[in-house]
Amino acid sequence: MIAQRPNLNNTLAIALTAAAAVYVGWKISQSPEQAVQFAFNGLSVGAVYALLAIGFTLVYSTVWFFDLYYGAAAAIGAYGVFYLRSQETLGGLYAVNSIVVNVIFAAVTAGVVAWALYESVYPRFRARVDRSVLFGIGGVLAAGTGVYTGFLLTNPKDLHINLSPVIALGFAVLVTWLLYQAYQGVVAARVLQGLVVITGAAAAALGVYFAYLIANAPDAKLYLSWGVSCMLAGVVGLAFYRGLYVYMRARSQSPLIMLVASLGILLAITALTSIVFESTPRPLPEALGNDPWTFAGATIKGFNVFTVGVALVGFLFLLYLLKFTSFGKSVRAIGDDEEVSKVVGINTTTVIAVVFFIGAVYAAMAGLLSGHDTAIQPRMGLLLLLKGWIASVVGGIGNLYGAIVGGFVLGMIEQFGIWDLAGEWRDVISFVLLILFLSFWPKGLLPRK
C-alpha cells in the first residue's frame, strides 16, 4: 500500500489538472471575450507576483531563510510614493510629511553609507592614507548623504530638480560598473583600463543630459518618487541585515530565530505605517497609461502593460547580473556553500547585504505598482509577501526562472478561478493552489537544480 502511494498521488494530480483544464476550456468556449479579459488581468496581476517572487527567490536562494521584512519593503515602496506625492496630488488630501520620519530615514541612510565606505573604500586606501583622514572623509560623505536624503523627503515639491545631480552621477557609475563587469575576463588588463575611462566619460555626458531633461520636467516627479521609495526600502533592508541579521546568524544555528526576528520587523513596520498614515485605504496618484482601450473585447490599461514590461525587464536584469558578472558568481557561490565562499576570499557579508538591498528594491517596486492599481493600506505588505511566497513555491523555490513563471501562473489561475465567483475568492484560490503544490508538486514547476 505504501509503495503505491506516489503513483496514487500522481494520478490524482493529473486528474485535478485535467479537470481544471477542461473547465477553463469550457468557459473560454462560452465567452472568448471574457477569457481575453481574464487572461490580461492575470498577466498584469501576475507581473506584480513575479516581481515579488524574483526578489524573494534571490534572497532565499542566497541565505536560505525567509526574510519577512520583504513584505514591509513592498509597503514602504507604495507608501513612499504616497508620502512624496500626496502634498501636490489628490487635492492635498491626506498629505503627510513628518520630521520624525525624515530624520529616521536620513539617519539610516547615513549609517548604511558609512558602512559601505568602511567595507569597500577603507580597505583599499588604509595602507596609503592616514586612518583619521579616511574616517573623517567617510564621515562627511555619510553625513552629507543623510542630510541630502532628509532634504529630499522634506521638500518633495522640487524632487525633479533636487534629484537631477544624483541621476547624472548614478547613471554614469551604474553604466560604467556594468560594462566593467562585462569587460572583465574578455579583454586584456591594459585595454580594460582604457575602455573603462572611455565608457565612464560617455556615460557621464549622457547622465548630465538626462539630468538636464528631468530638471525641466515637473511631470517626472511621480516617477522619481518611485526610485526614491525603492531606494529607501532597499537601504532599510540592507540596514536590517547588517545591523541585526548578521549578529543573529552568527549566534543562532536555527533559521526559526531569523524567521521570528523578521516577523517582528514586519509587524513593527506595519504598526508604524498605521500610526503615520492611519489604517484607512489611500489612493496613489494616477500614473501613465490609465486611459483604457479595447482589444479583442477586453478593456486594457496601458499601465498594466507597463507593469508586465517592468517584470520582464527586472527578470532579465537580474539574470544578467547573476550569470555574467563577478558579483553574480559570488552570489551563486554563497548560495551553494557560504563557508567555502569565505575560505576562497569572498566578502560574504557585503555580497549578502547587496542581495538584501536588491531584493527589497524588487519588493518595493511590486508594492508601488500594485498600489497604483488598487488602494494602499498598511497591511498590504503581509498579503503581498504571501503572494510572492506562493508564486515562488509554484514556480520552484530557489529558481529564478521558476519565480517569474510562478508569478504569471499564479496570476492567471487567480483570475480564471474567479470566473463564476466573487473577486474576494482570489486569496482562497491562491492558498488552495499552495496546498495542492505542496502536496503534489513540492519542488514546483521548475525545480532548482
Side-chain angles (χ1 to χ4, degrees), residues 114-115 117-119 121-123 125-126 129-143:
W115 171 79
L117 291 173
Y118 179 79
E119 285 288 323
V121 177
Y122 177 71
F125 292 95
R126 61 184 174 185
V129 182
D130 184 75
R131 178 176 179 178
S132 60
V133 174
L134 279 177
F135 283 156
I137 295 174
V140 170
L141 290 174

PDB file of all heavy atoms in Angstrom, residues 114-115 117-119 121-123 125-126 129-143:
ATOM      1  N   ALA A 114      27.954  54.965   5.557  1.00  0.00           N
ATOM      2  CA  ALA A 114      29.174  54.857   6.354  1.00  0.00           C
ATOM      3  C   ALA A 114      29.700  53.422   6.362  1.00  0.00           C
ATOM      4  O   ALA A 114      30.908  53.188   6.218  1.00  0.00           O
ATOM      5  CB  ALA A 114      28.900  55.331   7.788  1.00  0.00           C
ATOM      6  N   TRP A 115      28.797  52.470   6.507  1.00  0.00           N
ATOM      7  CA  TRP A 115      29.216  51.057   6.490  1.00  0.00           C
ATOM      8  C   TRP A 115      29.764  50.666   5.124  1.00  0.00           C
ATOM      9  O   TRP A 115      30.786  49.977   5.024  1.00  0.00           O
ATOM     10  CB  TRP A 115      28.036  50.160   6.849  1.00  0.00           C
ATOM     11  CG  TRP A 115      28.349  48.719   6.642  1.00  0.00           C
ATOM     12  CD1 TRP A 115      29.062  47.898   7.458  1.00  0.00           C
ATOM     13  CD2 TRP A 115      27.979  47.923   5.505  1.00  0.00           C
ATOM     14  NE1 TRP A 115      29.158  46.639   6.913  1.00  0.00           N
ATOM     15  CE2 TRP A 115      28.502  46.620   5.721  1.00  0.00           C
ATOM     16  CE3 TRP A 115      27.251  48.172   4.351  1.00  0.00           C
ATOM     17  CZ2 TRP A 115      28.320  45.598   4.804  1.00  0.00           C
ATOM     18  CZ3 TRP A 115      27.069  47.152   3.442  1.00  0.00           C
ATOM     19  CH2 TRP A 115      27.601  45.877   3.676  1.00  0.00           C
ATOM     20  N   LEU A 117      31.186  52.552   2.855  1.00  0.00           N
ATOM     21  CA  LEU A 117      32.521  53.139   2.673  1.00  0.00           C
ATOM     22  C   LEU A 117      33.561  52.381   3.485  1.00  0.00           C
ATOM     23  O   LEU A 117      34.676  52.143   3.011  1.00  0.00           O
ATOM     24  CB  LEU A 117      32.496  54.611   3.090  1.00  0.00           C
ATOM     25  CG  LEU A 117      31.686  55.555   2.190  1.00  0.00           C
ATOM     26  CD1 LEU A 117      31.607  56.941   2.812  1.00  0.00           C
ATOM     27  CD2 LEU A 117      32.294  55.633   0.795  1.00  0.00           C
ATOM     28  N   TYR A 118      33.198  51.991   4.691  1.00  0.00           N
ATOM     29  CA  TYR A 118      34.129  51.262   5.548  1.00  0.00           C
ATOM     30  C   TYR A 118      34.474  49.901   4.950  1.00  0.00           C
ATOM     31  O   TYR A 118      35.620  49.442   5.021  1.00  0.00           O
ATOM     32  CB  TYR A 118      33.522  51.089   6.939  1.00  0.00           C
ATOM     33  CG  TYR A 118      34.401  50.317   7.885  1.00  0.00           C
ATOM     34  CD1 TYR A 118      35.477  50.935   8.517  1.00  0.00           C
ATOM     35  CD2 TYR A 118      34.154  48.972   8.154  1.00  0.00           C
ATOM     36  CE1 TYR A 118      36.300  50.225   9.390  1.00  0.00           C
ATOM     37  CE2 TYR A 118      34.967  48.256   9.027  1.00  0.00           C
ATOM     38  CZ  TYR A 118      36.034  48.893   9.637  1.00  0.00           C
ATOM     39  OH  TYR A 118      36.845  48.182  10.493  1.00  0.00           O
ATOM     40  N   GLU A 119      33.498  49.254   4.332  1.00  0.00           N
ATOM     41  CA  GLU A 119      33.708  47.919   3.776  1.00  0.00           C
ATOM     42  C   GLU A 119      34.423  47.949   2.423  1.00  0.00           C
ATOM     43  O   GLU A 119      35.234  47.066   2.127  1.00  0.00           O
ATOM     44  CB  GLU A 119      32.357  47.201   3.615  1.00  0.00           C
ATOM     45  CG  GLU A 119      31.765  46.708   4.909  1.00  0.00           C
ATOM     46  CD  GLU A 119      32.509  45.505   5.473  1.00  0.00           C
ATOM     47  OE1 GLU A 119      32.943  44.650   4.692  1.00  0.00           O
ATOM     48  OE2 GLU A 119      32.655  45.438   6.708  1.00  0.00           O
ATOM     49  N   VAL A 121      35.776  51.048   0.582  1.00  0.00           N
ATOM     50  CA  VAL A 121      36.804  52.051   0.293  1.00  0.00           C
ATOM     51  C   VAL A 121      37.956  51.981   1.290  1.00  0.00           C
ATOM     52  O   VAL A 121      39.129  52.027   0.906  1.00  0.00           O
ATOM     53  CB  VAL A 121      36.182  53.460   0.289  1.00  0.00           C
ATOM     54  CG1 VAL A 121      37.254  54.518   0.056  1.00  0.00           C
ATOM     55  CG2 VAL A 121      35.093  53.553  -0.774  1.00  0.00           C
ATOM     56  N   TYR A 122      37.643  51.873   2.556  1.00  0.00           N
ATOM     57  CA  TYR A 122      38.682  51.907   3.595  1.00  0.00           C
ATOM     58  C   TYR A 122      39.772  50.846   3.395  1.00  0.00           C
ATOM     59  O   TYR A 122      40.965  51.160   3.487  1.00  0.00           O
ATOM     60  CB  TYR A 122      38.025  51.754   4.961  1.00  0.00           C
ATOM     61  CG  TYR A 122      39.010  51.702   6.110  1.00  0.00           C
ATOM     62  CD1 TYR A 122      39.710  52.841   6.500  1.00  0.00           C
ATOM     63  CD2 TYR A 122      39.245  50.513   6.792  1.00  0.00           C
ATOM     64  CE1 TYR A 122      40.612  52.801   7.549  1.00  0.00           C
ATOM     65  CE2 TYR A 122      40.151  50.458   7.835  1.00  0.00           C
ATOM     66  CZ  TYR A 122      40.827  51.602   8.215  1.00  0.00           C
ATOM     67  OH  TYR A 122      41.720  51.555   9.242  1.00  0.00           O
ATOM     68  N   PRO A 123      39.430  49.566   3.089  1.00  0.00           N
ATOM     69  CA  PRO A 123      40.491  48.566   2.919  1.00  0.00           C
ATOM     70  C   PRO A 123      41.461  48.882   1.780  1.00  0.00           C
ATOM     71  O   PRO A 123      42.625  48.485   1.823  1.00  0.00           O
ATOM     72  CB  PRO A 123      39.709  47.274   2.634  1.00  0.00           C
ATOM     73  CG  PRO A 123      38.360  47.501   3.221  1.00  0.00           C
ATOM     74  CD  PRO A 123      38.096  48.957   3.008  1.00  0.00           C
ATOM     75  N   PHE A 125      42.488  51.936   0.783  1.00  0.00           N
ATOM     76  CA  PHE A 125      43.318  53.123   0.981  1.00  0.00           C
ATOM     77  C   PHE A 125      43.996  53.187   2.340  1.00  0.00           C
ATOM     78  O   PHE A 125      44.773  54.111   2.582  1.00  0.00           O
ATOM     79  CB  PHE A 125      42.446  54.383   0.801  1.00  0.00           C
ATOM     80  CG  PHE A 125      41.976  54.608  -0.596  1.00  0.00           C
ATOM     81  CD1 PHE A 125      40.729  54.147  -0.994  1.00  0.00           C
ATOM     82  CD2 PHE A 125      42.764  55.259  -1.518  1.00  0.00           C
ATOM     83  CE1 PHE A 125      40.280  54.347  -2.285  1.00  0.00           C
ATOM     84  CE2 PHE A 125      42.327  55.476  -2.813  1.00  0.00           C
ATOM     85  CZ  PHE A 125      41.083  55.017  -3.207  1.00  0.00           C
ATOM     86  N   ARG A 126      43.720  52.239   3.227  1.00  0.00           N
ATOM     87  CA  ARG A 126      44.255  52.356   4.581  1.00  0.00           C
ATOM     88  C   ARG A 126      45.778  52.249   4.626  1.00  0.00           C
ATOM     89  O   ARG A 126      46.401  52.746   5.566  1.00  0.00           O
ATOM     90  CB  ARG A 126      43.635  51.283   5.473  1.00  0.00           C
ATOM     91  CG  ARG A 126      43.903  49.857   5.056  1.00  0.00           C
ATOM     92  CD  ARG A 126      43.157  48.897   5.948  1.00  0.00           C
ATOM     93  NE  ARG A 126      43.298  47.521   5.481  1.00  0.00           N
ATOM     94  CZ  ARG A 126      42.653  46.495   6.039  1.00  0.00           C
ATOM     95  NH1 ARG A 126      41.850  46.702   7.060  1.00  0.00           N
ATOM     96  NH2 ARG A 126      42.818  45.274   5.570  1.00  0.00           N
ATOM     97  N   VAL A 129      46.712  56.094   3.179  1.00  0.00           N
ATOM     98  CA  VAL A 129      46.119  57.299   3.750  1.00  0.00           C
ATOM     99  C   VAL A 129      45.929  57.105   5.250  1.00  0.00           C
ATOM    100  O   VAL A 129      45.585  56.005   5.705  1.00  0.00           O
ATOM    101  CB  VAL A 129      44.757  57.621   3.080  1.00  0.00           C
ATOM    102  CG1 VAL A 129      44.168  58.913   3.641  1.00  0.00           C
ATOM    103  CG2 VAL A 129      44.918  57.722   1.573  1.00  0.00           C
ATOM    104  N   ASP A 130      46.176  58.171   5.990  1.00  0.00           N
ATOM    105  CA  ASP A 130      46.024  58.100   7.438  1.00  0.00           C
ATOM    106  C   ASP A 130      44.598  57.708   7.823  1.00  0.00           C
ATOM    107  O   ASP A 130      43.625  58.147   7.209  1.00  0.00           O
ATOM    108  CB  ASP A 130      46.371  59.455   8.051  1.00  0.00           C
ATOM    109  CG  ASP A 130      46.319  59.413   9.568  1.00  0.00           C
ATOM    110  OD1 ASP A 130      47.252  58.856  10.182  1.00  0.00           O
ATOM    111  OD2 ASP A 130      45.325  59.922  10.120  1.00  0.00           O
ATOM    112  N   ARG A 131      44.503  56.881   8.869  1.00  0.00           N
ATOM    113  CA  ARG A 131      43.201  56.343   9.270  1.00  0.00           C
ATOM    114  C   ARG A 131      42.220  57.449   9.657  1.00  0.00           C
ATOM    115  O   ARG A 131      41.047  57.409   9.284  1.00  0.00           O
ATOM    116  CB  ARG A 131      43.404  55.390  10.453  1.00  0.00           C
ATOM    117  CG  ARG A 131      42.120  54.797  10.988  1.00  0.00           C
ATOM    118  CD  ARG A 131      42.410  53.803  12.091  1.00  0.00           C
ATOM    119  NE  ARG A 131      41.181  53.233  12.631  1.00  0.00           N
ATOM    120  CZ  ARG A 131      41.148  52.310  13.578  1.00  0.00           C
ATOM    121  NH1 ARG A 131      42.285  51.857  14.088  1.00  0.00           N
ATOM    122  NH2 ARG A 131      40.001  51.836  14.007  1.00  0.00           N
ATOM    123  N   SER A 132      42.687  58.443  10.396  1.00  0.00           N
ATOM    124  CA  SER A 132      41.792  59.525  10.824  1.00  0.00           C
ATOM    125  C   SER A 132      41.274  60.317   9.632  1.00  0.00           C
ATOM    126  O   SER A 132      40.114  60.768   9.621  1.00  0.00           O
ATOM    127  CB  SER A 132      42.519  60.445  11.804  1.00  0.00           C
ATOM    128  OG  SER A 132      43.668  61.013  11.194  1.00  0.00           O
ATOM    129  N   VAL A 133      42.111  60.492   8.606  1.00  0.00           N
ATOM    130  CA  VAL A 133      41.678  61.204   7.402  1.00  0.00           C
ATOM    131  C   VAL A 133      40.597  60.404   6.675  1.00  0.00           C
ATOM    132  O   VAL A 133      39.582  60.960   6.238  1.00  0.00           O
ATOM    133  CB  VAL A 133      42.878  61.462   6.468  1.00  0.00           C
ATOM    134  CG1 VAL A 133      42.405  62.061   5.144  1.00  0.00           C
ATOM    135  CG2 VAL A 133      43.878  62.373   7.133  1.00  0.00           C
ATOM    136  N   LEU A 134      40.816  59.095   6.549  1.00  0.00           N
ATOM    137  CA  LEU A 134      39.813  58.244   5.902  1.00  0.00           C
ATOM    138  C   LEU A 134      38.480  58.292   6.628  1.00  0.00           C
ATOM    139  O   LEU A 134      37.421  58.456   6.016  1.00  0.00           O
ATOM    140  CB  LEU A 134      40.321  56.799   5.844  1.00  0.00           C
ATOM    141  CG  LEU A 134      41.288  56.434   4.720  1.00  0.00           C
ATOM    142  CD1 LEU A 134      41.736  54.988   4.862  1.00  0.00           C
ATOM    143  CD2 LEU A 134      40.650  56.658   3.360  1.00  0.00           C
ATOM    144  N   PHE A 135      38.525  58.132   7.942  1.00  0.00           N
ATOM    145  CA  PHE A 135      37.283  58.165   8.716  1.00  0.00           C
ATOM    146  C   PHE A 135      36.621  59.535   8.643  1.00  0.00           C
ATOM    147  O   PHE A 135      35.385  59.641   8.630  1.00  0.00           O
ATOM    148  CB  PHE A 135      37.556  57.785  10.162  1.00  0.00           C
ATOM    149  CG  PHE A 135      37.751  56.315  10.366  1.00  0.00           C
ATOM    150  CD1 PHE A 135      38.476  55.842  11.454  1.00  0.00           C
ATOM    151  CD2 PHE A 135      37.218  55.397   9.496  1.00  0.00           C
ATOM    152  CE1 PHE A 135      38.653  54.480  11.657  1.00  0.00           C
ATOM    153  CE2 PHE A 135      37.380  54.030   9.676  1.00  0.00           C
ATOM    154  CZ  PHE A 135      38.105  53.572  10.762  1.00  0.00           C
ATOM    155  N   GLY A 136      37.449  60.585   8.609  1.00  0.00           N
ATOM    156  CA  GLY A 136      36.871  61.921   8.513  1.00  0.00           C
ATOM    157  C   GLY A 136      36.147  62.135   7.200  1.00  0.00           C
ATOM    158  O   GLY A 136      35.021  62.636   7.171  1.00  0.00           O
ATOM    159  N   ILE A 137      36.802  61.741   6.100  1.00  0.00           N
ATOM    160  CA  ILE A 137      36.163  61.882   4.786  1.00  0.00           C
ATOM    161  C   ILE A 137      34.912  61.016   4.703  1.00  0.00           C
ATOM    162  O   ILE A 137      33.856  61.448   4.212  1.00  0.00           O
ATOM    163  CB  ILE A 137      37.164  61.508   3.674  1.00  0.00           C
ATOM    164  CG1 ILE A 137      38.324  62.501   3.643  1.00  0.00           C
ATOM    165  CG2 ILE A 137      36.459  61.465   2.316  1.00  0.00           C
ATOM    166  CD1 ILE A 137      39.423  62.124   2.669  1.00  0.00           C
ATOM    167  N   GLY A 138      35.035  59.775   5.189  1.00  0.00           N
ATOM    168  CA  GLY A 138      33.871  58.891   5.168  1.00  0.00           C
ATOM    169  C   GLY A 138      32.725  59.434   6.002  1.00  0.00           C
ATOM    170  O   GLY A 138      31.554  59.351   5.597  1.00  0.00           O
ATOM    171  N   GLY A 139      33.048  59.992   7.153  1.00  0.00           N
ATOM    172  CA  GLY A 139      32.001  60.565   7.996  1.00  0.00           C
ATOM    173  C   GLY A 139      31.294  61.726   7.339  1.00  0.00           C
ATOM    174  O   GLY A 139      30.066  61.866   7.418  1.00  0.00           O
ATOM    175  N   VAL A 140      32.084  62.581   6.663  1.00  0.00           N
ATOM    176  CA  VAL A 140      31.486  63.714   5.966  1.00  0.00           C
ATOM    177  C   VAL A 140      30.575  63.245   4.828  1.00  0.00           C
ATOM    178  O   VAL A 140      29.458  63.759   4.649  1.00  0.00           O
ATOM    179  CB  VAL A 140      32.585  64.645   5.426  1.00  0.00           C
ATOM    180  CG1 VAL A 140      31.987  65.701   4.495  1.00  0.00           C
ATOM    181  CG2 VAL A 140      33.318  65.324   6.568  1.00  0.00           C
ATOM    182  N   LEU A 141      31.050  62.254   4.057  1.00  0.00           N
ATOM    183  CA  LEU A 141      30.233  61.736   2.960  1.00  0.00           C
ATOM    184  C   LEU A 141      28.954  61.086   3.467  1.00  0.00           C
ATOM    185  O   LEU A 141      27.870  61.289   2.903  1.00  0.00           O
ATOM    186  CB  LEU A 141      31.041  60.724   2.147  1.00  0.00           C
ATOM    187  CG  LEU A 141      32.185  61.285   1.296  1.00  0.00           C
ATOM    188  CD1 LEU A 141      32.985  60.156   0.654  1.00  0.00           C
ATOM    189  CD2 LEU A 141      31.642  62.222   0.228  1.00  0.00           C
ATOM    190  N   ALA A 142      29.068  60.291   4.534  1.00  0.00           N
ATOM    191  CA  ALA A 142      27.889  59.628   5.091  1.00  0.00           C
ATOM    192  C   ALA A 142      26.902  60.644   5.650  1.00  0.00           C
ATOM    193  O   ALA A 142      25.687  60.569   5.390  1.00  0.00           O
ATOM    194  CB  ALA A 142      28.314  58.645   6.179  1.00  0.00           C
ATOM    195  N   ALA A 143      27.411  61.614   6.413  1.00  0.00           N
ATOM    196  CA  ALA A 143      26.532  62.634   6.973  1.00  0.00           C
ATOM    197  C   ALA A 143      25.886  63.471   5.878  1.00  0.00           C
ATOM    198  O   ALA A 143      24.692  63.805   5.940  1.00  0.00           O
ATOM    199  CB  ALA A 143      27.321  63.532   7.932  1.00  0.00           C
TER     200      ALA A 143
END
